[in-house]
């Protein structure tokens, strides 16, 4: 048995015309001899009547002061996929095909209990297999599963992609051949965001690692969870356009690809509206710095604010947060006093107080400074005003194999300097080098890096 | 063929035995020894140009570096053991004002989606402070937090982190981080 899992995103099913196009892809696969499992996302994007965001808003609108229970929120959100799945099933039925629409739970997808961000624990594909063997096209609502006790859960970001990949993995032992196709409104994985780089090219092929890294660094084609599952189970994953007949991008293992793909620069991505914050400890004491750094990170942890691009060294440390957190960060840190090595069992000074400032008017900072002025004979008071760089973004160069190749960072910084783009910080991981640049330079930086690595030219079949 | 018979013929659907997604939170702590850390102080006049010239000279000298961090008037980076002498010689030849710390180790804490986890870095810092282990430099990727510490402290740091993240059973690995973890020569 040949099994093809096809996943259609929200824009692929948001009108009758689009649903017909999506149905056409399913029909073509069925006619080519595939047993087809179709995973469907909710119809449309924010604002559309049954889009996930719309359903969430309607639930919250009952009384904005009372947050819905996570379990009920998931129940509500899951409705969007169920509606689109049944609608597409009916579209296929009108074309003369025998279909069955299933919720995630009916398709055997079992998850943990983390409502809103559940993880797939197991899939029992028996029923879906029986339906395929009976000649039906099986449609499964994406983005959802069910707990042991029957509560509907949603899978969080990238949920429908994850559903498709996981179903492919679950069905693989029962099939002679399995493939997964992710249909979207672009024709494959691009070397850059085409809105920023018009010459961005569609990759003919990419490795699981490349796509996973691209997704983590901001590309919005396939969710990394889906790529990771496909990698784990070695399932070929295709990214294709619902609205065109172009071949799309094949995502597979590097071992199955030529050397040119295994050692290339894959693309340039950009992500996030970021604020970069740097503190310098005025006393120059490294132990004090470690204590202050920890206290700040503790506060951010309690507030559930994720930090990244961390750096520490000498008497300074720095980190980045999503820009949406800046007002809360100012509330938390501006005017904060961190005591270090405080003890009344000795002669004055009894220790050190570090007063933090975080810009934005610094009302709290000024008020605290005035108050602490009166304690100067008892403790050392050090003012620590942060350097806050607002409106940044992270641009990343993705590569399948940079290891041991000197000069890549030099090339990136040289290119950006030539383009007049300042770089505030850098970060490197196994498959990418990222630079923090002004948000206003995102296009310029992306274009310049795309050019310097010659990404508009096809290489090695990629 | 009856559906029941079909079910018997195909492999049993052992739903519970298949793991589709990686675990949440921290999954491993890995130690890589033989690292050095270099801080090069740059002239106040045009630090960006001096930084770029330095990186270009490293590229020309085929010296790979990683964990590159930019500071207002300095640049810092890591160097693997086999390149430390060449790096030092290179810096001296270029008259650089630098500090080089040898015998360090990279302690890498691995998690599936680090940027969705708000407390990992805090826990790492708490652990290092409790153990009185100085962190020379940090770095982070979406799947890892890296801490450069003194080589002699590295195993203690890794053990403490494993305890902190309830990974006592995770095997210690001295062969270097696996693919996908944030260490790379640039």
């Amino acid at each position: 048995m040949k099994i093809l899992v096809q996943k259609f995103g929200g824009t692929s099913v948001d009108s009758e015309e689009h649903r017909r196009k999506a149905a056409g892809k399913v029909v073509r696969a069925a006619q080519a001899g595939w047993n087809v499992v179709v995973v469907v996302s909710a119809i449309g994007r924010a604002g559309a009547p049954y889009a996930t965001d719309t359903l969430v808003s309607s639930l919250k609108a009952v009384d904005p002061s009372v947050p819905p229970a996570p379990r009920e929120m998931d129940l509500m959100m899951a409705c969007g996929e169920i509606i689109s799945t049944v609608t597409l099933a009916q579209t296929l039925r009108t074309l003369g095909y025998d279909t069955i629409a299933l919720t995630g739970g009916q398709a055997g997808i079992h998850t943990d209990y983390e409502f809103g961000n559940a993880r797939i624990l197991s899939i029992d594909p028996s029923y879906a297999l029986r339906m395929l063997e009976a000649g039906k096209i099986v449609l499964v609502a994406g983005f959802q599963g069910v707990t042991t006790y029957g509560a509907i859960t949603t899978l969080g970001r990238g949920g429908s992609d994850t559903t498709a990949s996981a179903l492919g993995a679950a069905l693989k032992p029962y099939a002679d051949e399995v493939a997964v196709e992710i249909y979207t409104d672009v024709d494959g994985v691009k070397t850059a965001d085409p809105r920023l780089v018009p010459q961005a090219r569609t990759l003919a092929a990419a490795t699981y690692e490349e796509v996973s890294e691209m997704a983590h660094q901001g590309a919005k084609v396939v969710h990394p969870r889906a790529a990771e599952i496909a990698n784990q189970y070695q399932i070929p994953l295709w990214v294709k356009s619902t609205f065109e007949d172009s071949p799309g991008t094949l995502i597979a293992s590097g071992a199955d690809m030529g050397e040119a793909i295994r050692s290339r620069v894959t693309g340039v991505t950009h992500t996030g509206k970021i604020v970069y914050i740097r503190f310098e400890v005025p006393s120059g004491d490294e132990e004090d710095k470690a204590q202050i750094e920890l206290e700040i990170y503790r506060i951010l942890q309690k507030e559930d604010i994720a930090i990244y691009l961390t750096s520490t060294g000498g008497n300074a440390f720095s980190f980045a947060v999503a820009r949406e957190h800046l007002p809360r960060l100012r509330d938390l840190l501006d005017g904060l006093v961190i005591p270090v090595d405080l003890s009344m069992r000795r002669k004055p000074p009894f220790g050190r107080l570090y007063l933090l400032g975080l810009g934005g008017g610094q009302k709290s900072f000024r008020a605290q400074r005035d108050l602490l002025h009166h304690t100067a004979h008892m403790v050392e008071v050090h003012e620590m005003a942060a350097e806050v760089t607002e409106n940044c973004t992270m641009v990343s160069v993705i590569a399948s194999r940079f290891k041991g190749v000197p000069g890549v960072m030099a090339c990136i910084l040289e290119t950006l300097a030539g383009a007049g783009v300042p770089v505030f910080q850098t970060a490197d991981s196994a498959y990418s080098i990222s630079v923090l640049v002004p948000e206003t330079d995102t296009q310029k930086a992306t274009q310049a890096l795309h050019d310097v690595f010659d990404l508009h030219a096809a290489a090695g079949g990629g | 063929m009856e559906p029941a018979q079909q079910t018997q013929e195909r492999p049993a659907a052992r739903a519970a035995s298949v793991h589709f997604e990686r675990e949440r939170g921290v999954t491993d702590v890995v130690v890589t020894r033989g690292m050095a850390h270099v801080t090069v102080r740059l002239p106040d006049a045009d630090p960006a140009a001096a930084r770029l010239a330095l990186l270009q000279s490293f590229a020309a000298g085929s010296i790979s570096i990683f964990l590159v961090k930019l500071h207002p008037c300095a640049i810092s980076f890591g160097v693997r053991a086999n390149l430390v002498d060449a790096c030092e010689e290179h810096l001296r030849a270029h008259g650089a004002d630098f500090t080089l710390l040898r015998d360090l180790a990279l302690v890498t804490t691995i998690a599936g989606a680090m940027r969705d986890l708000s407390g990992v870095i805090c826990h790492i810092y708490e652990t290092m402070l409790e153990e009185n282990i100085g962190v020379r430099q940090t770095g982070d990727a979406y799947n890892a937090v890296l801490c450069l510490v003194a080589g002699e402290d590295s195993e203690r740091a890794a053990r403490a982190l494993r305890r902190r993240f309830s990974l006592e059973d995770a095997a210690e690995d001295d062969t270097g981080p696996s693919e996908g973890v944030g260490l790379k020569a640039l």
Side-chain angles (χ1 to χ4, degrees), chain A residues 112 117 120-122 133 157 174 225 228-229 233 293 298 304 309-310 312 425-426 429 431-432, chain B residues 6 10-11 15 18-22 24 56 68-70 116 118 125-126 137 140 142 179 184:
Chain A
D112 61 16
N117 189 27
I120 297 175
L121 297 177
S122 62
E133 284 163 354
R157 279 179 289 172
Y174 311 102
R225 284 166 78 186
E228 283 165 12
I229 293 169
Y233 288 88
E293 206 172 355
R298 273 183 181 146
D304 209 19
L309 277 173
T310 55
T312 190
Q425 192 51 278
T426 65
S429 73
Y431 296 96
S432 68
Chain B
Q6 289 173 3
R10 73 173 83 96
V18 183
H19 299 284
F20 291 100
E21 299 199 66
R22 60 164 93 192
R24 284 203 173 91
Q56 285 167 332
V68 179
K69 297 289 176 182
L70 312 183
D116 295 332
S118 59
Y125 271 80
E126 269 177 346
Q137 185 52 276
D140 53 271
Y142 71 84
E179 287 292 316
K184 177 179 53 178

Side-chain angles (χ1 to χ4, degrees), chain A residues 334-414:
Chain A
D334 189 49
L336 181 74
V337 178
I338 298 176
V340 176
D341 193 26
L342 214 54
S343 170
M344 303 296 276
R345 292 183 181 172
R346 61 181 173 224
K347 289 178 183 174
F350 298 120
R352 297 175 290 287
L353 297 179
Y354 287 88
L355 169 60
L356 272 51
L358 210 70
Q362 301 196 330
K363 279 183 196 163
S364 308
F365 176 80
R366 286 199 303 269
Q368 290 281 28
R369 186 175 57 189
D370 293 345
L371 286 170
L372 290 173
H373 176 72
H374 304 294
T375 65
H377 61 291
M378 292 187 289
V379 288
E380 288 177 25
V381 179
H382 298 284
E383 293 177 16
M384 274 180 63
E387 207 179 290
V388 180
T389 312
E390 294 187 46
N391 304 322
C392 304
T393 196
M394 200 156 69
V395 174
S396 303
V397 175
I398 313 296
S400 34
R401 196 194 293 165
F402 272 160
K403 276 185 181 169
V405 181
V408 182
M409 182 65 89
C411 176
I412 290 172
L413 294 188
E414 187 179 355

Side-chain angles (χ1 to χ4, degrees), chain A residues 271-344:
Chain A
T271 185
K273 296 171 185 298
I274 293 167
V275 176
Y276 191 60
I277 294 160
R278 181 176 181 274
F279 283 104
E280 203 168 298
V281 180
S283 67
D285 189 310
E286 287 195 30
E287 285 182 20
D288 285 11
K289 185 197 73 172
Q291 188 67 52
I292 294 162
E293 206 172 355
L294 174 59
E295 291 305 329
I296 290 175
Y297 294 163
R298 273 183 181 146
I299 289 166
L300 300 185
Q301 181 207 2
K302 280 180 196 156
E303 290 295 312
D304 209 19
I305 296 174
I307 59 171
Y308 45 105
L309 277 173
T310 55
S311 174
T312 190
N315 66 335
F317 63 94
S318 53
F319 58 90
V321 297
R323 193 166 67 204
E324 69 195 46
H325 296 314
L326 183 59
R328 202 145 52 103
L329 210 61
R330 284 206 160 111
D331 285 347
L332 292 165
L333 300 185
D334 189 49
L336 181 74
V337 178
I338 298 176
V340 176
D341 193 26
L342 214 54
S343 170
M344 303 296 276

